[in-house]
Amino acid sequence: MKRPEVPNALIVVAKQPAPGRTKTRLSPPLRPEQASLLYECFLNDTLDLIRQVEQVQPVVAFLPAGAEAYFQQLASDFDLIQQVGSDLGARLDNAISSYLSRGYQRVVIMNSDSPTLPATHLTEAFGSLEAGVDVVLGPCDDGGYYLIGVKQPIPRLLHEVQMSTPTVAVDTIALAVEENLKVHLLQPWYDVDDAASLTRLAEEVKNGNVQTATHTRRFILNHLTEDWMKEG
């Protein structure tokens, strides 16, 4: 097998935006069409974020089947792979294992709904793996995580943790301890998947506290009025 030109792979998990199928927990307060457009902004900002990270192979792990043409247009500079697996844990494990098997030394996989995440968090993730940790985890404020990175397949951490619960990060860390793995925790961040987190994002944007996430910031400033919560 040909050795990769760079040592690291950075995978983002993404869905093709579609009203009523993406970011459904944002409706209400948003209309399904608004939620879909906003998620497309998240996605564009996440791709731009990944492009800032040096010495990585960028990858989109996409859903649904048949969305490849959409992502080829959106991210022509990324590898594209379809997500495969019966649940989220299996899909994450399959994507990570696929790139480890291709010869990448370190693989990080992240979400696509934390548009204001600093690029330094991604750089730190790879740096910590290179420095000797076995697992790097970026915890979310809601108890999940926005990122996990490894140097070898560790399926227990993905298959034996019930995803989409308030204890995902804690449970993952506990399993890593059982496996005698050295874990590095990044600074917590937040993903935007419900009304409360959307309100937090909108307030940060409108208060001038967000200088990145160009697409998301523009959408919020141009399309969400002060009483958007009531309008939704």
Side-chain angles (χ1 to χ4, degrees):
M1 179 181 296
K2 183 179 178 181
R3 185 182 181 88
E5 295 182 1
V6 293
N8 305 318
L10 178 51
I11 307 171
V12 58
V13 176
K15 293 182 179 179
Q16 181 176 2
R21 296 185 179 180
T22 46
K23 286 298 163 191
T24 56
R25 291 174 63 195
L26 297 182
S27 301
L30 302 183
R31 298 188 301 275
E33 295 79 9
Q34 288 179 309
S36 177
L37 289 171
L38 182 58
Y39 173 66
E40 190 163 43
C41 293
F42 292 174
L43 185 53
N44 274 290
D45 286 329
T46 302
L47 298 176
D48 286 344
L49 171 66
I50 290 172
R51 292 182 179 110
Q52 298 178 47
V53 185
E54 298 180 351
Q55 292 295 300
V56 303
Q57 172 60 56
V59 184
V60 175
F62 67 85
L63 281 177
E68 187 170 3
Y70 170 83
F71 284 103
Q72 283 177 338
Q73 184 175 10
L74 189 70
S76 60
D77 51 335
F78 282 58
D79 275 0
L80 301 179
I81 58 169
Q82 183 180 325
Q83 296 179 42
V84 178
S86 59
D87 55 34
L88 177 57
R91 294 194 295 271
L92 295 177
D93 184 39
N94 287 332
I96 290 171
S97 297
S98 173
Y99 274 79
L100 288 171
S101 70
R102 300 182 194 196
Y104 289 91
Q105 299 173 35
R106 295 167 285 274
V107 178
V108 168
I109 194 163
M110 63 180 294
N111 68 18
S112 53
D113 46 16
S114 297
T116 59
L117 182 72
T120 51
H121 287 46
L122 302 179
T123 303
E124 182 183 342
F126 286 107
S128 65
L129 291 170
E130 187 174 4
V133 304
D134 302 301
V135 181
V136 59
L137 202 68
C140 280
D141 292 347
D142 63 3
Y145 56 77
Y146 59 84
L147 170 159
I148 187 169
V150 297
K151 297 183 292 188
Q152 61 184 11
I154 310 175
R156 281 196 70 199
L157 273 59
L158 299 165
H159 288 273
E160 296 185 24
V161 172
Q162 184 176 353
M163 298 294 181
S164 303
T165 70
T167 61
V168 173
V170 171
D171 294 343
T172 302
I173 294 167
L175 279 175
V177 171
E178 285 185 17
E179 293 286 317
N180 295 314
L181 301 173
K182 186 176 180 181
V183 179
H184 176 71
L185 295 180
L186 302 174
Q187 287 295 312
W189 206 253
Y190 70 101
D191 51 15
V192 183
D193 58 8
D194 58 17
S197 52
L198 179 57
T199 299
R200 174 179 176 178
L201 174 65
E203 289 176 349
E204 290 182 350
V205 167
K206 293 183 177 183
N207 290 334
N209 296 330
V210 176
Q211 303 304 317
T212 58
T214 304
H215 298 85
T216 299
R217 191 171 75 245
R218 184 185 303 121
F219 183 91
I220 288 175
L221 293 175
N222 291 344
H223 297 283
L224 300 185
T225 62
E226 291 298 328
D227 56 350
W228 61 274
M229 289 291 288
K230 297 178 182 178
E231 290 179 355

